Amino acid sequence: MKGKPIGLLAGTLLVLFSLVNCAAPTQTVQAQTTKRASQITVIYDAFGKDASMKKDWGYSALVEVGGKRILFDTGNDAGIFAQNVKAKGIDLRQLDFVVMSHRHSDHMAGLSHVLSVNPKVKIYAPKEGFGIYGSSLPSSFYRKNEALPPEMRYYDGAPPTVMQFGTAWAGANFEPIDKTTEVAPGVWLIALVSDAPGVKELRELSLAIDTPNGIVLLVGCSHPGIEAIVEAASKINKKIHLVAGGFHLLVAPDDVIAKISTSLRDTWQVANIAPGHCTGEPTFAALRQAFGDRYWYAGLGNVLPLNIGASTSGLRGDAAALGAEELKAYQHFARLSHDAQDARLAHSGASDEVD
């Protein structure tokens, strides 16, 4: 009998402890609560200064923030991707998940290497009808004709209610995303659809992380439009700390580039910009002029710090957006990419742009 008050007290303390530990998480990713560095490492691009890494047309980056390690896209060539991963000492077995921004080959070719190292890793990808990352459709998507004999009808006239379609990577742990989704506390995937000529109806995911500094936004190619993606991110948090990745302005005229540069700086009040990949040389120059020392150099191998108060002096826009050798390499890989694209389109009659 004497033990009951003690037991009741212990039980009460246990309940209180549980309630404290089950409190709702904050909306932002608290980068300062982890001993890991909070940063973005550029793993794949066609320009950069890191001699240990190989340049090629395509994009990939590792995001480390709030204790999460997120691989965003996997580049254009599995061998080059593997070489660059090794050069930066990245352990692909220690990923929380992978994000595939869209279905263009210069963003997904290294996925085979990722799966050879980490076959069960969660992979978020755009959901598309008959998409290469796996998809499903209701069997009502096609018209029926019940007057036909069963042998002339799909599934003998009795299709499954939902039809499942395979992926190019059998057994991979894909989760298709078709709307903007919070996949972890403070970590969002923005799902938009392109309306641009050549890539109309292409679905693309962008990664938005709500940090104490504001939104860190990582984009693959921005086919739906970089302004549209930033607008969607601003609905999560109006403060945009950093936008990095490819802006899909390789061949844009100067007036369009100037308008977008001004809009990102003044309308959307983006604090820092770190363009790469398919942003384009004239856009690099225009953004550097528009943002000044808030332009971060994001070449191959560069590390973009995300911690509060972290120094960005080595990334600032007071240096050239591209050095002479980097410019030559960037132009070379862009030319190769578009030559291959022209040949593919001439052969197939397809309209997708590869960038």
Side-chain angles (χ1 to χ4, degrees):
M1 294 296 291
K2 292 182 179 180
K4 282 189 176 181
I6 297 175
L8 286 171
L9 177 61
T12 302
L13 290 173
L14 180 60
V15 169
L16 289 172
F17 180 80
S18 299
L19 288 172
V20 169
N21 281 277
C22 291
T26 58
Q27 294 291 10
T28 60
V29 173
Q30 297 295 326
Q32 69 269 32
T33 62
T34 176
K35 292 183 180 180
R36 289 179 180 173
S38 290
Q39 59 192 26
I40 298 173
T41 303
V42 181
I43 301 172
Y44 212 107
D45 213 325
F47 69 100
K49 301 176 181 180
D50 192 327
S52 69
M53 303 179 78
K54 186 172 182 179
K55 301 179 184 71
D56 187 34
W57 192 263
Y59 193 71
S60 177
L62 178 70
V63 182
E64 298 171 274
V65 63
K68 299 290 185 186
R69 302 182 82 246
I70 305 164
L71 179 65
F72 185 86
D73 285 342
T74 62
N76 182 63
D77 179 278
I80 295 173
F81 173 78
Q83 175 182 329
N84 289 350
V85 164
K86 182 177 180 181
K88 298 304 288 187
I90 295 169
D91 186 354
L92 296 176
R93 297 169 300 178
Q94 301 300 317
L95 298 175
D96 288 279
F97 56 86
V98 178
V99 177
M100 303 302 292
S101 66
H102 63 294
R103 56 177 159 78
H104 283 165
S105 60
D106 55 333
H107 292 255
M108 65 183 188
L111 185 55
S112 59
H113 176 68
V114 176
L115 291 171
S116 72
V117 175
N118 192 347
K120 299 302 181 183
V121 66
K122 169 67 74 68
I123 306 166
Y124 294 106
K127 183 177 182 179
E128 298 182 290
F130 305 101
I132 62 169
Y133 299 116
S135 61
S136 62
L137 286 173
S139 56
S140 59
F141 85 89
Y142 69 89
R143 293 178 60 199
K144 314 293 192 295
N145 187 333
E146 296 179 1
L148 289 172
E151 64 269 20
M152 291 183 66
R153 302 190 64 195
Y154 303 125
Y155 300 94
D156 297 321
T161 303
V162 177
M163 299 169 61
Q164 301 289 338
F165 304 102
T167 81
W169 298 269
N173 183 18
F174 285 107
E175 182 172 331
I177 299 292
D178 62 355
K179 61 183 178 181
T180 297
T181 304
E182 188 175 18
V183 296
V187 180
W188 295 77
L189 294 179
I190 296 173
L192 294 175
V193 183
S194 172
D195 194 39
V199 288
K200 192 175 180 66
E201 298 186 358
L202 177 70
R203 296 178 180 271
E204 185 166 338
L205 300 181
S206 302
L207 178 65
I209 304 170
D210 196 5
T211 77
N213 286 338
I215 292 290
V216 170
L217 180 61
L218 187 57
V219 294
C221 269
S222 305
H223 292 104
I226 185 60
E227 290 177 280
I229 299 172
V230 172
E231 180 181 10
S234 71
K235 294 177 182 177
I236 301 168
N237 184 344
K238 290 184 178 180
K239 185 178 180 182
I240 308 295
H241 174 64
L242 172 67
V243 181
F247 294 1
H248 193 52
L249 296 168
L250 278 169
V251 297
D254 289 343
D255 60 332
V256 171
I257 293 171
K259 175 181 176 296
I260 292 175
S261 299
T262 301
S263 176
L264 292 174
R265 183 192 63 194
D266 298 341
T267 303
W268 300 110
Q269 298 186 342
V270 173
N272 301 285
I273 205 92
H277 184 44
C278 61
T279 300
E281 296 165 18
T283 313
F284 288 151
L287 288 169
R288 176 170 164 260
Q289 182 176 10
F291 281 81
D293 64 4
R294 295 185 292 122
Y295 178 102
W296 294 5
Y297 176 81
L300 178 63
N302 264 60
V303 177
L304 312 178
L306 304 179
N307 294 89
I308 292 176
S311 173
T312 58
S313 58
L315 304 171
R316 296 300 179 88
D318 51 359
L322 291 178
E325 290 302 314
E326 295 172 282
L327 180 60
K328 184 185 296 184
Y330 184 88
Q331 291 170 334
H332 170 70
F333 292 121
R335 192 161 50 246
L336 286 178
S337 174
H338 283 277
D339 287 348
Q341 173 66 5
D342 290 343
R344 185 172 70 84
L345 293 179
H347 181 265
S348 67
S351 61
D352 261 12
E353 297 177 10
V354 174
D355 56 24

